[in-house]
Amino acid sequence: MSFLRVNGLSARLKGAGHPILRGVSLSVAAGEVRGLVGESGAGKSMIGKAVLGILPKAVEVSGGEILLGGVDLLRLPPKERRARIGATCALIPQDPLTALNPSRRIAPQITDRLVDILGWDRGRALARAEELLAEVHIPDPARVLRAYPHELSGGMRQRILIASAFAAEPKLIVADEPTTALDVTVQKQVLKLIAEMQARHGTALLFVTHDLGVVSKVCDSLTVLYGGLVVEDTDVRSFFAGPAHAYSRALLAATPKYTDPQASLTPVPDAVIRDVQAEVAAADRRARHG
Amino acid sequence: MQLLRAVLLRLATTAVTLLGVAVIVFVVIRVVPGNPIAMMLPPGATEADVARLTAQYGLDKSLPEQFLIWAGGVLRGDFGLSITARQPVLDLVLGRLPATLELSVMALVIACLLGGFAALTGTRARGTGGEAAIDVANGMALSIPDFLWGLILVLLFGVLWPLFHISGRVTPSLELPFTTDFYLFESVLRLRFDLWANIVSHMFLPALALAIPLAAIIGQLLKQSLKETMHLDYVTLARTKGYGENHVILREALRNAILPTLTLVGVQFTFLIGGTVIIERLFSYEGLGNLAIDAVINRDLPLIQGIVILFAVIFTAVNLCVDLLYAVLNPRLRHG
């Protein structure tokens, strides 16, 4: 039984009604890492945001369901929805430099959820925070807990955010391009750390990325999106053995090879783009008539 | 250590500022028309009387000489004698200062409460009719100057619906046990809440008139920076932790959004103190502003100089306090 199931989720811009997600379905089970890949604008981040209830104000969900442990979030009143998300999910954000509050110390930013939402006492929460920082290989956790974000490096802050995401033993973590904003040398370590923490805690992980190289390293399964439409949903091994969909194949071919950095880049061919756009249009027609 | 050095540097520049203010005021009030001596003498005074009095107040000496004599006195804490009241300027000014300080601080508190409330509810209701209503109210509060608000408040709550006193600082028939001139403050310390209520009833309307335009400025700026802060990643992250709108605004956004507002409040607070001059006149409030107007009307040169120097000291002190507060609230500044 998957902890997260998204069924036929559609979302659009308010007012103009321009579709952003077109009937997306996917699921993530405990211990599974699902990659969510696509070009920018494919809607991969929007899925994560919809699950966590942090869609931008201009975007509204227009159909489908988001089942979290069997309960449809979209049917819950806002307060219960927030509480449920806060108690069972967490986000590893993209940019560690902006995701920590600059005027609060590190400790309360890790412990706040434990104390306020889960009702732990402060001492226990603080001990847990220290333990977590040690778990993400931060030296001298006690000192870091007292520090302000500006006193720490970007890599350090991303480690703190990862620790914070695992603090309440969530069932599901959404990682929204967690390595994109980092230096290449730090990227690898952070990726390894996320995989290590996920394996240890057995969390379901939804990994939003545009980097198929990253997917091959950390994911078990993946969902390929184009224009808010799922074009392929498969496990990692069969995907890298040979994607079923023409667009996925083109995307894989377009990924730069680390083994041969001098090789010229292959763009996704126009014909493939035309075909997948036709599929998107067909999905829209079906949605209108169904 | 770094903070201490910054403070010392500020004090040094403040001294230069005050010297500049002193020179300008000294020259200007002697250049504008109007002769204090002529106003003191009864009609029919002789040339000899005029000459004698002019010499007595040192007004027959050259301008630089007069300035040096006056500045020398000031450095020894002697601001000269008031021409009209024939009392030491320092005693007069210090006697009135508490009334004005209490009024200004009360106005500042009201402005922060009103403006903060407008900003928070406006942010809470952003993008709805509620925010638009707050914007309209802000615009109105801002476009009417404080003395007109004073008149409006007198009409509304002094005449049509007499809820408050509109004249003076305290009802004159009351017996005051106070040893200082900080009536409001001391009435609380002495637990004389009957007197306190009377004083507040006198101060409320002038303080509100001073506060309304400042409240509008605070409300507008704070709402703007709160709204910008609400889009930042750490606020979004807090939402995923299960926190609601109120919590997110108050604990995540407010402290970061308040910094630009704080600087502005410092600047605007000095304007507010300047506004007491007219407002105190309007409400016959026995403060420094009322004294200043009398001094100007009577061409009481030493008194004008004393009041202006005092105002300048207050302004620079306020600015210094704001800078210190800014350093305390912003951890990035504190650690250099």
Side-chain angles (χ1 to χ4, degrees):
Chain A
M1 176 67 190
S2 302
F3 179 70
L4 170 72
R5 293 187 66 89
V6 176
N7 284 332
L9 182 68
S10 298
R12 62 182 176 216
L13 275 181
K14 278 182 193 161
H18 179 77
I20 290 180
L21 296 177
R22 295 170 152 100
V24 171
S25 298
L26 58 85
S27 64
V28 195
E32 180 186 350
V33 183
R34 174 169 292 271
L36 213 46
V37 293
E39 311 169 19
S40 22
K44 52 191 192 300
S45 269
M46 285 300 158
I47 295 173
K49 289 195 165 94
V51 170
L52 294 174
I54 49 170
L55 280 175
K57 281 210 157 180
V59 177
E60 61 181 355
V61 171
S62 50
E65 44 184 20
I66 301 172
L67 299 168
L68 214 55
V71 179
D72 186 2
L73 286 181
L74 301 175
R75 282 171 209 279
L76 290 179
K79 210 173 159 189
E80 278 178 48
R81 184 191 313 164
R82 272 203 313 269
R84 192 169 182 85
I85 293 170
T88 59
C89 304
L91 169 72
I92 299 177
Q94 178 170 13
D95 187 352
L97 297 184
T98 56
L100 287 166
N101 190 331
S103 64
R104 298 178 70 204
R105 292 178 195 274
I106 297 300
Q109 302 199 49
I110 298 178
T111 59
D112 54 3
R113 168 184 4 221
L114 300 176
V115 174
D116 298 333
I117 309 291
L118 301 182
W120 292 26
D121 73 72
R122 224 160 267 283
R124 181 175 165 217
L126 212 57
R128 171 84 175 133
E130 211 173 317
E131 215 177 277
L132 278 160
L133 290 192
E135 215 180 309
V136 295
H137 315 301
I138 286 181
D140 201 355
R143 185 190 64 83
V144 171
L145 283 176
R146 281 193 306 273
Y148 284 98
H150 70 271
E151 299 169 278
L152 306 168
S153 70
M156 191 85 117
R157 288 189 231 183
Q158 189 59 293
R159 280 165 193 279
I160 289 167
L161 287 162
I162 292 167
S164 171
F166 283 93
E169 294 292 350
K171 295 262 190 343
L172 170 75
I173 287 180
V174 177
D176 188 3
E177 308 232 19
T179 56
T180 311
L182 295 174
D183 190 85
V184 184
T185 50
V186 186
Q187 271 183 15
K188 252 190 181 158
Q189 300 169 19
V190 166
L191 215 53
K192 213 177 117 202
L193 180 65
I194 294 177
E196 178 192 322
M197 291 288 283
Q198 185 273 337
R200 187 179 308 146
H201 293 261
T203 323
L205 181 61
L206 194 58
F207 201 106
V208 179
T209 180
H210 60 262
D211 188 344
L212 283 172
V214 168
V215 171
S216 70
K217 287 194 192 75
V218 295
C219 297
D220 305 312
S221 55
L222 85 165
T223 301
V224 183
L225 289 160
Y226 183 88
L229 189 75
V230 175
V231 295
E232 185 156 4
D233 181 338
T234 177
D235 64 283
V236 165
R237 193 173 315 172
S238 35
F239 181 86
F240 284 99
H245 196 280
Y247 176 73
S248 309
R249 273 197 297 278
L251 203 60
L252 188 56
T255 305
K257 308 281 179 298
Y258 293 112
T259 48
D260 187 6
Q262 300 304 317
S264 60
L265 297 175
T266 331
V268 176
D270 288 346
V272 174
I273 297 281
R274 265 197 303 281
D275 287 350
V276 71
Q277 276 173 351
E279 271 182 55
V280 167
D284 280 354
R285 271 197 302 281
R286 277 199 304 281
R288 264 201 301 279
H289 299 301
Chain B
M1 224 34 240
Q2 214 167 13
L3 201 62
L4 188 72
R5 236 184 61 195
V7 171
L8 287 178
L9 191 71
R10 275 295 291 272
L11 287 178
T13 53
T14 302
V16 178
T17 310
L18 290 180
L19 180 70
V21 170
V23 171
I24 291 172
V25 172
F26 199 87
V27 172
V28 166
I29 59 177
R30 277 166 179 73
V31 170
V32 294
N35 181 352
I37 302 300
M39 305 198 59
M40 292 168 70
L41 290 167
T46 63
E47 287 288 315
D49 294 333
V50 173
R52 191 172 46 76
L53 259 179
T54 308
Q56 187 186 327
Y57 282 96
L59 295 175
D60 54 344
K61 299 198 170 65
S62 73
L63 214 56
E65 250 180 302
Q66 285 185 37
F67 182 78
L68 285 179
I69 292 169
W70 176 73
V74 167
L75 288 180
R76 279 177 276 117
D78 173 17
F79 284 74
L81 277 183
S82 157
I83 295 178
T84 40
R86 304 189 193 204
Q87 285 175 30
V89 166
L90 197 62
D91 295 356
L92 277 175
V93 167
L94 289 183
R96 291 291 191 96
L97 178 64
T100 297
L101 281 184
E102 284 191 345
L103 183 65
S104 310
V105 170
M106 188 173 182
L108 181 67
V109 171
I110 295 175
C112 289
L113 291 178
L114 282 179
F117 179 76
L120 292 175
T121 42
T123 307
R124 190 83 174 69
R126 62 189 179 285
T128 70
E131 190 194 1
I134 282 175
D135 284 343
V136 170
N138 260 342
M140 275 175 57
L142 197 59
S143 46
I144 300 176
D146 50 10
F147 60 91
L148 271 182
W149 278 118
L151 285 175
I152 294 168
L153 293 174
V154 166
L155 276 175
L156 286 179
F157 301 111
V159 180
L160 288 177
W161 189 21
L163 281 178
F164 298 98
H165 291 91
I166 52 169
S167 172
R169 195 177 173 199
V170 63
T171 305
S173 56
L174 287 174
E175 201 156 316
L176 301 176
F178 303 141
T179 49
T180 69
D181 290 305
F182 290 94
Y183 290 179
L184 188 70
F185 188 60
E186 209 182 327
S187 66
V188 174
L189 285 187
R190 288 176 184 273
L191 305 177
R192 290 290 304 273
F193 293 108
D194 52 326
L195 287 178
W196 182 81
N198 185 279
I199 295 163
V200 168
S201 165
H202 279 87
M203 286 172 73
F204 185 69
L205 289 186
L208 187 59
L210 287 167
I212 289 174
L214 179 57
I217 295 174
I218 293 175
Q220 238 165 27
L221 188 74
L222 185 58
K223 178 164 74 79
Q224 198 51 44
S225 40
L226 267 176
K227 279 170 69 179
E228 279 162 25
T229 311
M230 294 302 281
H231 293 296
L232 296 182
D233 288 351
Y234 57 83
V235 175
T236 308
L237 188 64
R239 287 185 197 284
T240 68
K241 293 177 181 176
Y243 291 114
E245 190 78 5
N246 287 340
H247 178 104
V248 165
I249 292 177
L250 290 177
R251 200 164 76 183
E252 299 289 342
L254 185 59
R255 190 163 166 181
N256 294 296
I258 213 164
L259 291 172
T261 313
L262 190 71
T263 318
L264 182 103
V265 167
V267 175
Q268 292 294 327
F269 183 52
T270 55
F271 282 115
L272 185 149
I273 295 174
T276 58
V277 173
I278 297 178
I279 290 294
E280 284 182 6
R281 194 66 169 186
L282 190 63
F283 288 88
S284 309
Y285 187 86
E286 303 267 291
L288 212 50
N290 224 338
L291 187 69
I293 291 188
D294 287 335
V296 170
I297 290 174
N298 296 324
R299 296 286 182 279
D300 193 337
L301 302 185
L303 189 52
I304 297 175
Q305 283 153 208
I307 291 173
V308 172
I309 291 292
L310 186 63
F311 269 124
V313 169
I314 294 174
F315 288 0
T316 45
V318 167
N319 281 328
L320 184 63
C321 289
V322 169
D323 286 357
L324 288 178
L325 201 56
Y326 198 93
V328 169
L329 281 181
N330 189 347
R332 275 166 293 191
L333 232 75
R334 210 181 320 152
H335 298 278

